[in-house]
Amino acid sequence: MDEQERLTLRRKIVGIALRQARERAGRTVQACAALLGISPARYRAYEAGRQDPTLPELEVLAWFFQTPLSALLEPDQRNASPEEEMAEAAPEFIALRHRVIGLILRQAREAAGKSLREVAAALGCTPRRLRAYESGERPIPLVELERLAAHLGLSLTDLRDAESPIGQAAILLDQIEGFRALPPEVRAFVTAPVHLPYLRLAMRLSELPADRLRHIAEDLLEITL
């Protein structure tokens, strides 16, 4: 492959990444063009790989699409996106999650020593309906789930998915929101690779019991005095 062919291929790859990111974000060509202050025709040329966007334009688009800049500069070339793969399995995923939630609720009820009839009465439904909830045969409406979970000493967090790609993505988004809420100087510290050893040390220290931390602090104080 000569240099010209390589450059053409590079433009095509970036263009495809732009289009996929825009479609995932639900943005229109017109909105993207207006954001950049260019014509829709020129923006379409970016996605078609006929023209090169600038790095600042890509930075703004990454922000607009709420996607990492690296996803536009070094896109994943798999044929199917994780979103497309998950969409195909969504009905099975939902059915499985109903069963898992029901199992957690039943285990919590039994651990609390409560009968189906007792919990059903508190919820205002029949024991048969509660049994269907616990088996996953019947989806639990959110408001009823909140009431049932609270009655059993659970929260919605206890029932959330943390294993599947969907659950992991939800956790990651929560973590990103938490990261955004940090002071700018803390975000800068956390994202500096050179500070990784300090962060790992902080993680290990957070797992120690209070008396052990107290001894460590006393030892450090003696050394510094």
Side-chain angles (χ1 to χ4, degrees):
M1 180 184 298
D2 62 26
E3 182 65 12
Q4 189 58 45
E5 290 176 334
R6 188 188 68 79
L7 293 176
T8 299
L9 178 59
R10 174 65 172 153
R11 291 189 186 97
K12 292 287 187 182
I13 291 174
V14 171
I16 291 172
L18 272 175
R19 178 178 56 78
Q20 291 177 339
R22 175 178 62 78
E23 291 175 348
R24 284 196 296 269
R27 304 295 189 177
T28 65
V29 168
Q30 290 73 19
C32 294
L35 178 72
L36 300 180
I38 61 178
S39 68
R42 179 171 174 177
Y43 181 81
R44 289 192 188 92
Y46 289 169
E47 290 194 354
R50 296 192 303 271
Q51 284 186 253
D52 284 315
T54 65
L55 180 57
E57 286 177 324
L58 287 178
E59 290 171 336
V60 170
L61 289 170
W63 165 81
F64 193 47
F65 300 151
Q66 290 292 285
T67 191
L69 178 61
S70 60
L72 303 181
L73 294 175
E74 300 173 6
D76 189 344
Q77 293 303 299
R78 292 176 297 178
N79 291 329
S81 69
E83 292 83 0
E84 292 170 339
E85 294 174 357
M86 195 60 213
E88 294 179 1
E92 294 180 8
F93 170 81
I94 292 172
L96 175 61
R97 286 288 295 135
H98 287 317
R99 291 196 295 273
V100 170
I101 290 171
L103 175 61
I104 295 173
L105 292 172
R106 179 175 63 79
Q107 290 175 337
R109 176 179 61 76
E110 293 175 347
K114 297 183 178 183
S115 67
L116 269 171
R117 186 176 300 277
E118 179 183 358
V119 176
L123 187 62
C125 69
T126 64
R128 180 178 180 181
R129 180 173 173 182
L130 180 58
R131 186 180 293 108
Y133 285 162
E134 290 186 351
S135 67
E137 296 174 2
R138 180 169 182 167
I140 310 176
L142 179 61
V143 173
E144 289 190 52
L145 179 60
E146 289 176 326
R147 291 177 57 209
L148 180 53
H151 183 73
L152 297 174
L154 300 173
S155 68
L156 289 186
T157 300
D158 298 317
L159 301 173
R160 286 183 59 176
D161 170 42
E163 303 297 332
S164 75
I166 286 180
Q168 289 293 319
I171 292 172
L172 179 59
L173 288 173
D174 287 343
Q175 292 171 340
I176 290 173
E177 287 303 310
F179 179 78
R180 287 174 174 170
L182 294 173
E185 64 274 14
V186 176
R187 295 200 302 267
F189 183 91
V190 170
T191 54
V194 69
H195 294 153
L196 184 58
Y198 299 106
L199 296 172
R200 293 192 184 280
L201 175 60
M203 291 170 63
R204 289 198 294 270
L205 290 174
S206 70
E207 297 172 353
L208 295 178
D211 58 341
R212 178 60 178 154
L213 287 173
R214 189 178 302 110
H215 289 315
I216 292 175
E218 291 170 353
D219 292 341
L220 289 174
L221 184 59
E222 290 181 5
I223 293 173
T224 56
L225 290 179

